[in-house]
C-alpha cells in the first residue's frame, strides 16, 4: 500500500509538471516575437522561487528551517515549493510582452520570499504542528490553495497589471491555440496532484478529490460557454473555454476533498460563468491580462472560497453555522486582498520607480525575444515584417491620397454640372414659368404646375450634386438636412450636437454628409420609424469624432439584409476617409448607424 510520503511526492511531481502546462499555455497566447522570452522567464522565475522559498519562504510559512527539519518533512517541503512556483508563474505570465525580465525576476524574489509565504502562514501555518495560522483558527478554510496560491497570485497580478499598463504594439505574430489547449490539458492533469496533495486527508478520499476536480473543470467550461452564448461574443468562445476550465479547477481547489460530486458540478459551473463574465470588467477598465490570469485564478479562487460554506459537507465546517463560515471566508479574502494586493502594489510601484517595469515602445514592437535574448531568428523575422509593413503603409497612404483626389474631382464636376443646370435649364424654366403666368387658361395652369414641379425636382438634383449648406459648414448642412425631414408624414428628425463639430477638410465633410444623408434615406424608406436622431460627439479618447443616426424603427437582421440596402458602399466610403462605420440593429429594436471619423491625429 502506498505511503503518505510517497503520495505527497507523486502529487508534488504532478504540480511540478504544471510548469510545462503554464509554459505551453502562455506561449500559445503571446505573439511569436515573445515566446522565447516567456519560456525562459518561466525557467528563471522557477529557479528564483526554489532559492527564495527554501531559504526564507518555508520558514516564514511553517516556522521550520530546511537546516533543522526532519527528513520526513522533505516530501512536504517539495510539494510546497511547487505550490509557491505556481503562484509566481501566474503573475509573471500575465504581465508578459511588455515587462522587463529584470523587473519580473525582482518581483519574483519578493513574491516567493515574502508575499506568498506570509499569507500561507495565516491559513496553513499549523500544518506541521505550529501555532501560526490565525485565520484558520478563526474558522477560515481552504482545502488545497484556492486562496493561498491562486487568489494571492491573482491579487499580485492585478497590482502588476495596474502599474505596468496595457500593451501598445500591434500584433505581428499569431497566437498558437493548439499549444494553449495542450497547456490547459497539462494543467488539468497536474491539478489532480495539486488537489490530491493534502496530507491531512485519508488516501481513501483521493478518488473523491480526483472526481471533483474533473467535474468542476468540465462544468466550469460549460458555464463559461453558456455565458459566452448569452453575450453572443462570436469568435471569443475559445477564450471562454480556457477561462471556464481553469476557473472551475481553481474554485474546486478550495473544497475538493470536502464536498459531494454534485456540489463540485455546481461550483464549477458558477465559477465558469463568473470567470468569463469578469473579462468584461477587465476590458472596461483597460486591464491587459495576456493569459487571463485574473478571470481564471483570482475570480475562480474567490468563487471557490465564497461558495465553500454553502456546498461543503456539514461535518467539515469549522464554524457553528454556514453563515458564520461565510463570514470567516469573507474575512480571509479581505486579509488576502489587504496583504497580497496592497503589498504588491507598493512593490511594483517601487520597482517601476527604480529599475522600471516596461520596455520602450520600440523594444515592445521588436519583441522581447530580440530585446532580452537577441535571438537571431526573431531579428530576421522582425526585419522582414518591418520591411513589409513599411511597403504596405506607403501603398495605403498613396491609395488614400488618390481616393481623396478622386472624391474632390468628383465633387468639382458635380458642382460644375449643378452650375450649368442652374444657369441654363434653370433660367429657361423660370422664363417659361413667367410666360405661363401671363396666360390664365386651364392648359396654362396645368403647364405652370408641371413647370413648378420640374423646378422643385431640379433644385433637389442640384442640392444632391452640390449641397449648398455645406458652404456654411457641416453643422449647418446637417441641421438643414434634419429640418427638411422633420414633420414629413408625421416623421420626427432632429440633430443633437453634443460636442462642437471639428473643421474637417472639404472632402471629409462631403463624405460625412453623404453618409448621414444615405443613412436617413434608409430610415425613411425601409425602417417604418417615427423618429430619428442624428448625434454628434467626440469619442472617449478625443482622437475621433462620432456621428450617430439612430431610429426607433423595425430594425433588421444584419446577416440577411445588410448587403441589400447600400451599407457595404457606405462602409467603403467611411474607410476612404480613414473612418469606420458600424451597424447596431436587431429585428424590432431599431437601428443605429455609427460613423467614427479620426480627428486630431496625423
Amino acid at each position: 500500500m502506498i505511503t503518505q510520503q510517497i503520495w505527497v511526492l507523486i502529487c508534488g511531481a504532478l504540480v511540478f509538471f504544471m510548469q510545462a502546462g503554464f509554459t505551453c499555455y502562455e506561449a500559445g497566447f503571446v505573439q511569436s516575437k515573445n515566446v522565447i522570452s516567456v519560456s525562459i522567464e518561466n525557467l528563471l522565475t522557477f529557479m528564483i522561487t526554489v532559492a527564495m522559498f527554501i531559504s526564507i519562504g518555508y520558514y516564514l510559512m511553517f516556522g521550520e528551517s530546511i537546516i533543522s527539519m526532519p527528513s520526513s518533512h522533505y516530501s512536504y517541503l517539495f510539494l510546497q515549493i511547487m505550490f509557491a512556483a505556481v503562484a509566481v508563474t501566474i503573475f509573471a505570465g500575465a504581465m508578459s510582452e511588455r515587462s522587463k525580465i529584470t523587473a519580473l525576476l525582482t518581483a519574483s524574489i519578493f513574491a516567493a520570499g515574502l508575499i506568498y509565504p506570509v499569507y500561507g502562514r495565516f491559513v496553513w501555518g499549523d500544518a506541521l504542528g505550529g501555532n501560526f495560522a490565525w485565520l484558520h483558527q478563526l474558522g477560515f478554510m481552504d482545502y488545497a490553495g484556492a486562496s493561498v496560491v491562486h487568489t494571492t497570485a491573482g491579487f499580485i497580478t492585478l497590482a502588476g497589471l495596474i502599474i505596468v499598463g496595457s500593451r501598445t504594439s500591434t500584433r505581428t505574430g499569431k497566437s498558437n491555440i493548439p499549444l494553449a489547449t495542450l497547456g490547459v490539458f497539462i494543467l488539468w492533469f497536474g491539478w489532480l496532484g495539486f488537489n490530491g496533495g493534502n496530507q491531512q486527508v485519508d488516501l481513501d478520499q483521493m478518488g473523491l478529490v480526483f472526481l471533483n476536480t474533473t467535474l468542476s473543470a468540465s462544468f466550469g467550461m460549460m458555464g463559461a460557454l453558456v455565458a459566452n452564448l448569452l453575450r453572443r461574443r462570436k469568435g471569443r468562445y475559445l477564450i471562454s473555454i480556457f477561462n471556464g476550465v481553469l476557473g472551475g479547477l481553481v474554485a474546486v481547489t478550495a473544497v475538493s476533498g470536502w464536498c459531494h460530486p454534485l456540489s463540485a458540478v455546481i461550483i464549477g459551473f458558477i465559477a465558469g460563468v463568473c470567470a468569463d463574465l469578469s473579462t468584461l470588467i477587465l476590458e472596461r477598465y483597460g486591464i491587459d491580462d495576456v493569459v487571463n490570469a485574473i478571470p481564471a485564478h483570482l475570480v475562480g479562487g474567490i468563487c471557490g472560497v465564497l461558495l465553500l460554506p454553502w456546498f461543503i459537507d456539514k461535518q467539515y465546517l469549522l464554524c457553528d453555522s454556514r453563515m458564520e463560515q461565510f463570514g470567516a471566508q469573507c474575512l480571509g479574502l479581505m486579509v488576502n486582498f489587504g496583504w497580497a494586493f496592497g503589498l504588491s502594489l507598493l512593490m511594483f510601484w517601487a520597482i517601476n520607480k527604480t529599475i522600471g517595469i516596461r520596455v520602450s515602445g520600440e523594444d515592445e514592437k521588436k519583441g522581447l525575444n530580440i530585446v532580452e535574448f537577441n535571438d537571431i531568428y526573431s531579428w530576421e523575422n522582425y526585419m522582414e515584417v518591418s520591411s513589409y509593413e513599411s511597403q504596405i503603409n506607403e501603398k495605403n497612404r498613396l491609395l488614400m491620397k488618390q481616393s481623396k483626389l478622386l472624391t474632390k474631382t468628383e465633387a468639382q464636376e458635380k458642382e460644375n454640372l449643378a452650375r450649368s443646370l442652374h444657369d441654363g435649364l434653370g433660367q429657361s424654366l423660370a422664363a417659361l414659368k413667367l410666360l405661363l403666368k401671363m396666360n390664365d387658361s386651364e392648359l396654362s395652369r396645368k403647364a405652370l404646375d408641371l413647370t413648378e414641379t420640374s423646378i422643385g425636382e431640379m433644385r433637389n438634383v442640384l442640392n444632391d450634386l452640390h449641397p449648398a449648406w455645406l458652404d456654411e459648414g457641416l453643422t449647418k448642412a446637417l441641421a438643414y438636412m434634419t429640418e427638411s425631414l422633420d414633420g414629413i408624414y408625421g416623421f420626427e428628425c432632429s440633430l443633437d450636437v453634443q460636442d462642437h463639430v471639428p473643421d474637417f477638410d472639404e472632402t471629409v465633410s462631403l463624405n460625412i454628409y453623404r453618409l448621414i444623408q444615405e443613412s436617413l434615406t434608409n430610415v425613411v424608406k425601409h425602417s417604418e420609424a417615427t423618429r430619428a436622431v442624428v448625434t454628434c460627439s467626440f469619442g472617449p479618447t478625443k482622437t475621433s469624432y462620432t456621428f450617430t443616426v439612430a431610429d426607433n424603427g423595425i430594425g433588421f437582421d444584419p446577416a440577411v439584409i445588410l448587403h441589400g440596402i447600400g451599407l457595404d458602399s457606405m462602409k467603403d466610403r467611411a474607410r476612404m476617409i480613414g473612418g469606420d462605420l458600424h451597424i447596431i440593429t436587431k429585428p424590432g429594436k431599431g437601428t443605429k448607424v455609427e460613423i467614427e471619423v479620426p480627428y486630431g491625429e496625423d
Side-chain angles (χ1 to χ4, degrees):
M1 184 176 179
I2 192 171
T3 66
Q4 189 77 41
Q5 287 190 36
I6 294 175
W7 175 248
V8 170
L9 287 173
I10 293 173
C11 290
L14 289 173
V15 179
F16 185 18
F17 192 47
M18 289 175 69
Q19 291 297 321
F22 280 118
T23 301
C24 290
Y25 186 70
E26 293 167 10
F29 270 96
V30 302
Q31 301 170 72
S32 56
K33 63 184 180 181
N34 296 309
V35 291
I36 294 174
S37 173
V38 77
S39 300
I40 301 302
E41 169 196 299
N42 281 1
L43 278 172
L44 295 177
T45 54
F46 185 84
M47 172 192 72
I48 287 175
T49 300
V50 172
M52 292 303 300
F53 196 73
I54 64 169
S55 58
I56 300 173
Y58 189 77
Y59 177 77
L60 288 177
M61 195 164 178
F62 298 104
E64 186 176 60
S65 170
I66 189 174
I67 299 175
S68 59
M69 71 168 56
S71 59
S72 59
H73 288 185
Y74 288 162
S75 58
Y76 191 68
L77 170 61
F78 174 72
L79 177 65
Q80 289 299 325
I81 291 173
M82 297 306 110
F83 279 2
V86 168
V88 173
T89 299
I90 290 169
F91 81 79
M95 296 173 62
S96 58
E97 295 208 289
R98 73 280 204 191
S99 303
K100 296 179 181 178
I101 195 167
T102 52
L104 293 178
L105 296 181
T106 303
S108 299
I109 293 173
F110 288 97
L114 179 64
I115 300 174
Y116 167 77
V118 169
Y119 184 74
R121 180 189 185 101
F122 297 161
V123 181
W124 287 346
D126 56 0
L128 299 178
N131 191 30
F132 314 117
W134 64 272
L135 275 178
H136 183 254
Q137 293 169 10
L138 291 175
F140 182 73
M141 300 180 70
D142 185 356
Y143 181 80
S147 65
V148 175
V149 178
H150 296 283
T151 60
T152 298
F155 283 131
I156 297 174
T157 301
L158 180 60
L161 293 177
I162 290 173
I163 298 297
V164 75
S166 301
R167 291 167 289 179
T168 57
S169 65
T170 56
R171 295 192 64 85
T172 57
K174 297 179 180 179
S175 300
N176 190 332
I177 296 301
L179 185 61
T181 304
L182 175 62
V184 170
F185 273 117
I186 293 175
L187 289 171
W188 194 334
F189 177 66
W191 227 288
L192 300 175
F194 200 103
N195 287 345
N198 192 326
Q199 68 173 7
Q200 297 181 359
V201 178
D202 196 302
L203 291 179
D204 292 340
Q205 290 183 277
M206 288 304 105
L208 174 66
V209 172
F210 278 34
L211 178 60
N212 283 346
T213 301
T214 302
L215 289 174
S216 185
S218 299
F219 281 87
M221 188 192 323
M222 185 183 297
L225 286 173
V226 169
N228 180 280
L229 180 63
L230 293 175
R231 289 188 291 156
R232 297 184 179 180
R233 302 189 74 191
K234 295 181 179 179
R236 296 277 298 177
Y237 67 92
L238 292 174
I239 305 301
S240 296
I241 288 174
F242 297 149
N243 287 343
V245 171
L246 297 180
L249 287 169
V250 172
V252 81
T253 298
V255 69
S256 55
W258 295 330
C259 71
H260 188 274
L262 182 58
S263 296
V265 166
I266 300 172
I267 290 172
F269 187 87
I270 295 174
V273 171
C274 293
D276 194 60
L277 293 179
S278 67
T279 59
L280 294 174
I281 300 175
L282 298 184
E283 292 170 2
R284 178 176 180 181
Y285 291 99
I287 297 176
D288 185 7
D289 185 347
V290 178
V291 295
N292 293 293
I294 292 176
H297 300 279
L298 180 57
V299 175
I302 291 174
C303 287
V305 170
L306 295 182
L307 290 172
L308 178 148
W310 316 110
F311 293 97
I312 190 175
D313 291 347
K314 195 169 184 178
Q315 60 180 315
Y316 296 112
L317 287 173
L318 291 182
C319 299
D320 293 334
S321 68
R322 294 188 184 275
M323 183 57 71
E324 287 185 23
Q325 188 65 58
F326 181 73
Q329 300 303 105
C330 291
L331 174 64
L333 284 177
M334 287 189 290
V335 172
N336 195 199
F337 172 78
W339 172 256
F341 178 77
L343 191 59
S344 297
L345 199 63
L346 178 62
M347 173 188 70
F348 284 116
W349 176 85
I351 292 174
N352 195 40
K353 288 295 183 180
T354 51
I355 64 176
I357 293 182
R358 287 194 75 117
V359 298
S360 67
E362 180 62 27
D363 286 346
E364 186 179 342
K365 184 177 180 181
K366 290 178 182 176
L368 302 187
N369 295 351
I370 295 173
V371 175
E372 303 284 4
F373 301 100
N374 202 27
D375 176 62
I376 185 171
Y377 297 107
S378 297
W379 263 115
E380 291 176 354
N381 183 64
Y382 172 70
M383 297 301 291
E384 180 181 345
V385 170
S386 298
S387 175
Y388 176 74
E389 285 184 342
S390 177
Q391 295 175 27
I392 292 297
N393 289 337
E394 182 61 31
K395 290 180 180 179
N396 284 340
R397 282 192 292 270
L398 180 59
L399 287 173
M400 187 68 70
K401 184 177 180 180
Q402 292 173 340
S403 296
K404 287 188 175 182
L405 179 60
L406 180 61
T407 303
K408 190 169 185 180
T409 302
E410 180 187 6
Q412 289 173 346
E413 291 299 322
K414 287 182 176 180
E415 185 176 355
N416 292 335
L417 178 59
R419 189 180 298 111
S420 298
L421 286 172
H422 180 271
D423 295 342
L425 181 60
Q427 295 300 326
S428 299
L429 288 172
L432 177 61
K433 179 180 177 181
L434 183 61
L435 291 173
L436 289 171
K437 282 185 176 180
M438 296 178 182
N439 193 331
D440 196 31
S441 67
E442 180 68 22
L443 181 61
S444 296
R445 284 195 295 271
K446 290 183 179 180
L448 179 61
D449 291 340
L450 182 60
T451 302
E452 288 180 343
T453 300
S454 299
I455 291 174
E457 290 179 351
M458 188 188 71
R459 285 173 178 168
N460 290 334
V461 172
L462 291 176
N463 186 61
D464 283 341
L465 287 172
H466 178 69
W469 290 101
L470 268 179
D471 295 336
E472 300 184 36
L474 182 57
T475 305
K476 191 74 173 179
L478 294 179
Y480 176 77
M481 185 192 303
T482 53
E483 287 171 6
S484 65
L485 290 175
D486 187 42
I488 297 179
Y489 305 118
F491 179 73
E492 297 179 13
C493 189
S494 60
L495 176 66
D496 181 12
V497 181
Q498 298 180 356
D499 298 309
H500 174 72
V501 178
D503 294 325
F504 295 106
D505 66 41
E506 182 180 349
T507 304
V508 174
S509 294
L510 178 58
N511 279 286
I512 293 171
Y513 180 88
R514 295 299 188 196
L515 285 168
I516 296 175
Q517 183 182 50
E518 192 163 353
S519 298
L520 287 173
T521 300
N522 283 332
V523 172
V524 173
K525 287 184 177 180
H526 305 293
S527 73
E528 300 181 20
T530 60
R531 184 178 68 256
V533 179
V534 178
T535 306
C536 311
S537 63
F538 275 110
T541 60
K542 300 288 186 179
T543 58
S544 65
Y545 198 88
T546 302
F547 299 86
T548 303
V549 180
D551 66 65
N552 66 342
I554 59 174
F556 59 91
D557 183 353
V560 176
I561 304 179
L562 187 60
H563 302 287
I565 55 177
L567 296 180
D568 282 344
S569 62
M570 292 173 64
K571 289 187 175 182
D572 290 338
R573 185 186 286 271
R575 282 193 290 267
M576 187 175 66
I577 58 175
D580 288 307
L581 185 141
H582 305 284
I583 312 296
I584 304 169
T585 183
K586 61 173 61 176
K589 298 295 183 179
T591 301
K592 180 187 291 185
V593 178
E594 292 183 348
I595 306 159
E596 186 177 348
V597 184
Y599 176 75
E601 295 180 327
D602 294 334

